[in-house]
Amino acid sequence: MGEAPALKKALTQRQLRMIAIGGVIGAGLFVGSGVVIGKTGPGVFITYALAGVLIIMVMRMLAEMAVANPSTGSFADYARNAMGNWAGFSVGWLYWYFWVIVVGFEAIAGAKIIQYWIDVPIWLTALILLIAMTATNLFSVSSFGEFEYWFAGIKVAAILAFIGLGSLYVIGAWPDKDMDFSNLWVNGGFFPLGAMAVTVGVVTVIFSMVGAEIATIAAAESADPERAVAKAANSVILRIAVFFVGSAFLLVTILPWNSEQVAASPFVSAFTEIGIPYADHIMNAVVLTAVLSCLNSGMYTASRMLFVLAARREAPPQLVSVTRRGVPATAILASSVIGFLGVIASAFSPDFIFKFLLDSSGAVILFVYLLIAVSQIVLRYRTSADKLKVKMWLFPVLSILTAGCIFAILVQMFVQGGDNRKALTMSLLSWAVVIVLFLANRWFIGHRPEVAGVSPAPGADHPHRVLVLANETVESNELLDELRRIGADRDAVYQVVVPASPIDTGVAATHGPLDISEATIQAAQRRLDQTLTTLRSEQLQADGELGDYRPLRALAQAVETFRPDQIVISTLPPEDSVWHRFDVVDRARSEYQIPVTHVVSRVRTQEHAS
């Protein structure tokens, strides 16, 4: 059938490298670290190290699966392949839900920072920020990459500057300063709240590290996705060690862990202690950059996951449509709408609706990570050794330990009670809703009655002009046999219409947004050409065209121009047919006063099946 076109280059290696480096640095590090220090003490850097090891393990598992089985659907596809459609459906929708809530939350956080300089209503500023980042994503994939490159660059520069200056300060290389590590033990000891306190903070810390996996999604729109994913997974070790563990160690060395300044704004307090002027303004600008980066990448990530869900027929097919620049605009706008609703909820119902949204997504990312870990364990046993170019270390011991640790964190959230238990409970409710939606969708498809074919009455003249509508089954033996039967006793003229749908051609499952339109046309045209060649080789008079990606729209346009005497629609069985789900056959029969024959093909075309 010919080779599918390769992904075009949308994100440069320079952009992807910075996304991978800066993606793990969120506003949670700059703001939330003070809370963790207050709950843990000087040993807080151990807490960051423990959470970091968990993230590193998850990224390593992702890299193994991504290199062995490249997929534009990333970890949602791995869960689907390992555990079934329910797992892929769960991972995709839960991850999308997590990020659209983050988008709304980060817009509000950015507005609060801007209010430090300008007195503007928070909801208005948040909407402006959300509109700006939506426009950035809508313009082009490369514009997202360029914005993220500079946002991430500023975050990385700020952290490196802090580590450099902080290191000079604590070792005594700073003017009028001697080497001093006493803050690690003078205020109640190294573990003033007990040694187990370092594990309590893991729940909070791990959420500040979320985002490392974005590189695996963005890599699908780069020139060399496999290499990009592998490099991102390997570099995450150094990034977490330097940015998180290193900065946490310096914070509790420069300042007493129990000081009010640390709790309020640890990085500002540390820079002030070192003697950097205007530290508050500098760090507020850096935190704003971190917030905008998270908002920008969150919008990107949510839209791409919606794109993948639609490509796997688990979201409305319109979400696969892309602009001429290769941007999934519908998916971006759909995601931004939820972000807008979050901002509005924070303005008019901050303690009920907005709090509910935050709680219901609080533990979702841990569910996703747990499913990733289980997927890697299952797929590792199914994958041949020659495909394992990147391997999870000490398999299966570390994989099982990682899954166990994630589960232990969820248990700890329940044991801790308060907001953590509420977030866990509400997030479990979110997952339950997703599972119910999946089961309802499967039930609806599986319990629809199979529509029997309608053929001309015995003894009647066979129709002369036959309009054929098919895509996945256009080359199937069942369809070709039916067309041969129609033309057996008299001349017939066939018009074959193949809707140019990225979902039905299978292109959406293998291509990213940038080149999906071109690949869809090529795949649909190949199917049409093959079918016409087969029909013409049997001396049947056949012509054809590509139609609208919506089958009913394609059918209506063909009926208007071709004026058929009979319509033949070929689909997969009801349990597998999207056309059947949307009543394509029934609606065609009610719309047109001519015979409509429904052919059920049991096997997809070879191109799609492969």
Side-chain angles (χ1 to χ4, degrees), residues 445 448-455 468-483 485-486 567-581 584-586 589 596-605:
I445 297 170
R448 286 190 55 79
E450 185 167 337
V451 182
V454 175
S455 298
V468 183
L469 183 73
N471 192 315
E472 293 177 279
T473 60
V474 71
E475 300 169 58
S476 67
N477 291 331
E478 292 90 344
L479 175 59
L480 294 175
D481 287 345
E482 176 64 20
L483 298 183
R485 187 193 65 77
I486 291 173
I567 297 172
V568 177
I569 301 176
S570 178
T571 73
L572 290 168
E575 63 271 15
D576 297 320
S577 173
V578 175
W579 287 11
H580 198 69
R581 188 191 314 174
V584 169
V585 177
D586 287 345
R589 285 177 174 152
V596 176
T597 300
H598 178 206
V599 177
V600 177
S601 300
R602 298 292 168 182
V603 182
R604 291 178 172 90
T605 63

Side-chain angles (χ1 to χ4, degrees), residues 206-218:
I206 200 164
F207 290 109
S208 69
M209 294 183 177
V210 170
E213 73 285 344
I214 292 176
T216 67
I217 297 175

Side-chain angles (χ1 to χ4, degrees), residues 1 34 50-51 76 135 229 320 343 356 363 389 434 438 451 540 562 571 577:
M1 301 298 293
L50 291 173
V229 170
V320 176
V343 170
F356 170 82
K389 299 174 184 177
V434 169
F438 171 78
V451 182
L540 297 176
F562 185 63
T571 73
S577 173

Side-chain angles (χ1 to χ4, degrees), residues 208-361:
S208 69
M209 294 183 177
V210 170
E213 73 285 344
I214 292 176
T216 67
I217 297 175
E221 296 181 70
S222 70
D224 190 353
E226 294 179 38
R227 179 168 168 265
V229 170
K231 288 186 68 174
N234 291 332
S235 64
V236 78
I237 301 172
L238 181 62
R239 285 182 278 137
I240 287 177
V242 173
F243 298 147
F244 286 92
V245 180
S247 59
F249 175 79
L250 287 172
L251 284 174
V252 292
T253 305
I254 295 170
L255 299 166
W257 70 272
N258 53 356
S259 69
E260 293 182 1
Q261 290 81 5
V262 169
S265 185
F267 281 87
V268 170
S269 301
F271 270 125
T272 302
E273 180 71 17
I274 293 172
I276 304 300
Y278 306 106
D280 53 343
H281 291 285
I282 293 171
M283 285 312 301
N284 266 331
V286 171
V287 174
L288 178 60
T289 301
V291 166
L292 293 178
S293 171
C294 191
L295 181 56
N296 190 37
S297 59
M299 185 72 70
Y300 172 87
T301 305
S303 65
R304 267 39 177 199
M305 192 54 74
L306 260 192
F307 177 89
V308 168
L309 285 165
R312 304 316 185 260
R313 296 174 170 174
E314 293 169 343
Q318 291 83 353
L319 295 169
V320 176
S321 61
V322 295
T323 66
R324 292 181 179 179
R325 295 178 179 270
V327 174
T330 309
I332 292 172
L333 292 173
S335 300
S336 68
V337 165
I338 307 300
F340 280 120
L341 292 177
V343 170
I344 293 170
S346 72
F348 295 99
S349 184
D351 299 323
F352 181 67
I353 297 178
F354 188 63
K355 184 71 164 55
F356 170 82
L357 292 174
L358 291 179
D359 287 338
S360 63
S361 64

Side-chain angles (χ1 to χ4, degrees), residues 194 199 302 433:
T199 64
V433 170

